[in-house]
């Protein structure tokens, strides 16, 4: 895919340890039963399940399957989502909170079943999942979470002290019978089972226009009975989910470690620390660790949190050298449950978003629900996930305005300390600057070449911010991400940032 500057944003541990098939771009116009925009875990699993139901499907992927948010995650397969069940019970009631847990457990098992059924070597490894605390003020929440999770029928128990980490903890929730896997090998392996009998997987094919029964890409048009938006956040204005779920970025590191913990871990408090392991083909065990969340395009926090995570990993796990660093994003839904199903009772897109960094199990659940809905079946999990449950109109404008203000604030603070012309920009540095009265996002590479694009996000006009780790421009408002060339990496934007002449 286009990466004209050698930017490191596709250099992740998972992408580099998977040898995956490639798929052709769409060429011309075709017709299928269900068109699926997006080839992450949601899109590819939906396609597989629909094909099993006798449907002809087309996965339309703008870049490479499995390598975007799914391929940048820590890839824990678990129903243990931090402190969530007490929140869900409070917001949705006990029965719906139970449905959430049941769905996640089923989603985790479905991944294993599909891997076995299709012979996918996805490195699935059974592993307990822990959320722990060393902060007195979280202990009662941990205790309550165990009590609620047990009542909901989940495999939870309370632990203290030694949970296999290099340090003792005050309290921990342990879920048994969970697992971890290789997300790129899994999604790409599953995608390889789809082409044939009237079904397709297309890479390098970006959806640029859509209707409930038609997707126009930069390489042709797909007509279908239904369109699934499996693009992490629905594109453009569909369902206005950007007004009901906000983006959070997180640093992720991968490094060989010599103290190997026997589980998957995450703490409840900040700074955030999440860790799992993976045995590399070179024989070494690597940690894949994630840190504290921050607003995308906020370079100061990004650098602070990535350094803090490096210190934590190195000190506690005899880790090093840090071989991979990247930033990933997910959307936090405003009422704690993802939005899955029809985007509205009238416009007829099938959507899945708001996974709050738990979209491996939730994404598989989403695929199961969407496959049912697209084939006219009912799905009782909709009782908690129903994507029409909140009317987006009320409050949406305020949400957008508020975010736009935050973005403007962030960028203007950033501007005041940064160069004001291309000449003042040091090699290896980036800045938002005014050029001929326009906001320009500029990066000067180590060879002195300036890469300049419009700093105005093509989704709804917020100013993008710099991501120094991946060398991308990320939008704080709704999480769109762009390469240095302006090419879209992540929606809801679908149009590139306009390029600028640099003299
Ligand atoms: C730091 C971090 C760690 C995480 N760790 C875990 C974890 O351990 N366990 C867990 O359960 N979850 C985890 N998650 C969450 C999980 O990774 C995501 O929720 C999930 O992968 C989202 O899957 P998806 O299919 O919706 O998105 P994606 O994988 O991003 O797939 C969407 C696809 O749509 C494509 N696309 C976008 N726009 C277009 C367009 N216009 N045309 C065509 N294609 C398009 C994209 O290129 C992309 O490939 C983590 C998240 C973060 C941020
Ligand atoms: S992602 Fe919505 S304005 Fe940038």
């Amino acid at each position: 895919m286009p990466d004209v500057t050698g930017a490191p944003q596709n250099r992740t541990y998972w992408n580099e340890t998977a040898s995956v098939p490639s798929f052709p771009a769409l060429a011309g116009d075709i017709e299928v039963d269900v068109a699926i925009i997006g080839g992450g875990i949601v899109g590819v699993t939906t396609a597989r399940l629909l094909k099993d139901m006798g449907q002809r499907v087309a996965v339309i992927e703008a870049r490479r399957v499995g390598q975007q948010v799914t391929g940048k995650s820590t890839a824990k397969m678990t129903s243990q989502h931090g402190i969530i069940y007490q929140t869900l019970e409070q917001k949705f009631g006990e029965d719906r909170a139970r449905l959430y847990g049941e769905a996640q457990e089923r989603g985790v098992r479905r991944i294993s079943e599909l891997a076995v059924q299709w012979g996918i070597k996805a490195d699935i490894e059974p592993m307990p999942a822990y959320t722990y605390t060393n902060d007195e003020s979280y202990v009662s929440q941990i205790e309550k979470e165990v009590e609620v999770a047990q009542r909901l029928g989940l495999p939870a128990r309370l632990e203290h002290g030694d949970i296999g980490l290099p340090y003792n903890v005050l309290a921990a929730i342990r879920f048994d019978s969970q697992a971890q896997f290789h997300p790129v090998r899994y999604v790409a392996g599953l995608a390889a089972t789809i082409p044939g009998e009237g079904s397709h997987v297309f890479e390098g094919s970006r959806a640029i226009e859509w209707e409930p029964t038609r997707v126009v890409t930069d390489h042709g048009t797909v007509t279908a009975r239904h369109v699934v938006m499996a693009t992490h956040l629905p594109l453009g204005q569909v369902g206005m989910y950007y007004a009901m779920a906000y983006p959070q970025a997180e640093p992720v590191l991968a490094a060989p470690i010599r103290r190997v913990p026997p589980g998957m871990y995450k703490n409840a408090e900040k700074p955030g620390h999440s860790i799992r392991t993976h045995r590399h083909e070179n024989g070494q065990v690597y940690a894949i660790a994630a840190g504290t969340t921050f607003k995308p395009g906020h370079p100061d926090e990004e650098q602070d949190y990535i350094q803090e995570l490096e210190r934590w990993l190195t000190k506690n796990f005899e880790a090093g050298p840090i071989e991979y660093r990247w930033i990933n994003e997910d959307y936090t839904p405003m009422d704690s449950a993802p939005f899955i199903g029809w985007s509205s009772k009238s416009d007829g897109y099938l959507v899945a978003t708001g996974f709050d960094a738990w979209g491996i199990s939730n994404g598989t659940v989403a695929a199961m629900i969407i496959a049912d809905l697209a084939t006219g079946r009912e799905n009782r999990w909709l009782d908690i996930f129903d994507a029409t449950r909140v009317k987006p109109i009320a409050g949406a404008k305020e949400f957008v305005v508020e975010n736009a203000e935050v973005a403007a604030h962030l960028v203007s603070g950033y501007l005041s300390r940064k160069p004001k012309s291309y000449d003042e920009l040091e090699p290896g540095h980036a800045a938002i600057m005014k050029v001929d009265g326009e906001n320009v996002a500029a990066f000067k590479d180590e060879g002195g070449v300036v890469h300049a694009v419009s700093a105005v996000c093509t989704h709804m006009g917020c100013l993008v911010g710099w991501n120094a780790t991946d060398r991308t421009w990320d939008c704080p408002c709704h999480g769109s991400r762009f390469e240095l060339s302006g090419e879209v990496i992540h929606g809801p934007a679908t149009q590139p940032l306009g390029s600028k002449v640099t003299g």
Side-chain angles (χ1 to χ4, degrees):
M1 291 310 101
D3 187 7
V4 292
T5 57
Q9 43 82 12
N10 276 326
R11 220 195 140 251
T12 69
Y13 178 83
W14 299 125
N15 288 352
E16 290 205 354
T17 54
S19 141
V20 294
S22 56
F23 301 91
L26 175 64
D29 300 343
I30 62 161
E31 194 200 323
V32 291
D33 295 313
V34 183
I36 299 159
I37 312 175
I41 193 162
V42 175
V44 170
T45 314
T46 301
R48 181 63 259 166
L49 299 183
L50 280 170
K51 192 170 174 187
D52 288 343
M53 293 168 165
Q55 303 291 300
R56 293 168 307 144
V57 297
V59 176
I60 304 158
E61 166 56 48
R63 297 169 74 86
R64 301 292 314 271
V65 296
Q67 299 199 5
Q68 301 309 314
V69 178
T70 303
K72 295 173 182 168
S73 77
T74 49
K76 301 172 182 171
M77 300 160 53
T78 179
S79 59
Q80 218 280 340
H81 294 178
I83 296 175
I84 188 167
Y85 290 102
Q86 57 196 275
T87 313
L88 291 173
E89 187 176 52
Q90 191 210 338
K91 291 185 176 168
F92 293 90
E94 182 176 332
D95 288 348
R96 288 180 178 155
R98 182 174 289 108
L99 277 186
Y100 182 97
E102 174 196 302
Q104 305 310 315
E105 284 278 301
R106 188 71 197 96
V108 167
R109 283 202 304 282
R110 200 77 183 91
I111 294 172
S112 297
E113 288 163 7
L114 285 167
V116 169
Q117 183 181 354
W118 296 102
I120 301 165
K121 291 192 176 35
D123 301 348
I124 295 176
E125 217 182 328
M127 205 51 83
Y130 295 88
T131 294
Y132 67 91
T133 190
N134 264 330
D135 179 335
E136 200 66 64
S137 66
Y138 282 87
V139 171
S140 59
Q141 286 181 58
I142 294 271
E143 289 168 351
K144 178 155 190 216
E145 186 72 6
V146 172
E147 182 264 306
V148 174
Q150 285 176 342
R151 186 154 39 75
L152 298 179
L154 292 160
R157 64 180 203 241
L158 185 63
E159 293 196 355
H160 303 279
D162 182 2
I163 60 167
L165 286 171
Y167 44 83
N168 282 348
V169 302
L170 286 177
I173 312 156
R174 173 181 165 133
F175 273 33
D176 284 312
S177 309
Q178 311 297 303
Q180 57 191 20
F181 77 151
H182 192 306
V184 176
R185 285 188 191 156
Y186 174 74
V187 174
L190 200 56
T193 72
I194 291 165
E197 299 94 31
S199 291
H200 314 266
V201 175
F202 301 115
E203 290 186 325
S205 304
R206 182 172 296 281
I208 47 177
E209 283 175 34
W210 45 86
E211 294 167 15
T213 56
R214 193 164 155 265
V215 181
V216 179
T217 78
D218 43 7
H219 289 79
T221 298
V222 181
T223 308
R225 211 173 58 247
H226 297 302
V227 170
V228 179
M229 283 230 174
T231 48
H232 198 215
L233 187 72
L235 299 174
Q237 302 296 317
V238 168
M240 292 176 71
Y241 292 100
Y242 56 78
M244 296 184 283
Y246 60 92
Q248 299 217 73
E250 242 176 280
V252 188
L253 305 175
I257 53 171
R258 285 155 286 281
R259 295 179 82 167
V260 180
M264 308 181 288
Y265 303 86
K266 184 180 187 330
N267 64 343
E269 61 270 26
K270 287 195 173 175
H273 299 135
S274 162
I275 187 167
R276 58 151 295 179
T277 54
H278 179 253
R279 183 170 290 279
H280 194 285
E281 277 167 3
N282 67 16
Q284 296 190 86
V285 176
Y286 278 63
I288 293 84
T292 309
T293 55
F294 61 95
K295 209 172 209 359
H298 194 309
D300 294 342
E301 283 189 3
E302 176 215 314
Q303 289 302 301
D304 288 351
Y305 292 148
I306 208 157
Q307 282 162 21
E308 193 282 330
L309 185 61
E310 283 190 27
R311 282 194 296 273
W312 175 78
L313 190 64
T314 312
K315 176 177 146 212
N316 291 299
F317 297 91
E318 293 178 32
I322 309 286
E323 293 182 14
Y324 299 87
R325 297 172 179 80
W326 68 91
I327 305 294
N328 200 15
E329 283 182 12
D330 210 336
Y331 292 89
T332 299
M334 63 193 199
D335 61 4
S336 303
F339 297 101
I340 302 171
W342 298 108
S343 60
S344 86
K345 300 211 159 53
S346 54
D347 75 1
Y349 293 96
L350 284 156
V351 299
T353 194
F355 297 140
D356 205 13
W358 294 111
I360 298 300
S361 56
N362 267 311
T364 308
V365 168
M368 293 160 82
I369 294 174
I370 289 172
D372 279 349
L373 298 183
T375 50
R377 294 168 168 88
E378 293 190 353
N379 189 303
R380 62 197 187 86
W381 294 337
L382 267 189
D383 248 11
I384 179 149
F385 298 113
D386 183 2
T388 64
R389 71 180 177 276
V390 183
K391 294 278 168 274
I393 305 306
K397 258 196 187 139
E398 283 155 52
F399 186 93
V400 172
V401 169
E402 187 216 304
N403 274 275
E405 279 169 6
V406 171
H409 172 76
L410 284 177
V411 176
S412 58
Y414 181 48
L415 269 176
S416 62
R417 291 177 282 112
K418 294 295 170 185
K420 294 187 170 45
S421 72
Y422 300 141
D423 287 344
E424 288 178 29
L425 204 53
E426 281 177 42
H429 286 70
I432 306 282
M433 54 179 76
K434 284 266 187 207
V435 179
D436 298 333
E438 287 183 45
N439 287 301
V440 171
F443 170 73
K444 188 179 274 182
D445 66 27
E446 280 72 5
V449 177
V450 175
H451 305 269
V453 289
S454 165
V456 181
C457 177
T458 54
H459 177 230
M460 289 174 73
C462 290
L463 290 186
V464 295
W466 180 236
N467 170 340
T469 302
D470 293 334
R471 293 192 171 181
T472 58
W473 295 106
D474 298 353
C475 182
C477 287
H478 317 118
S480 289
R481 299 187 63 187
F482 304 88
E483 289 183 10
L484 293 179
S485 62
E487 173 90 14
V488 180
I489 297 170
H490 186 288
T494 55
Q495 297 298 324
L497 300 174
S499 63
K500 296 284 168 195
V501 178
T502 55

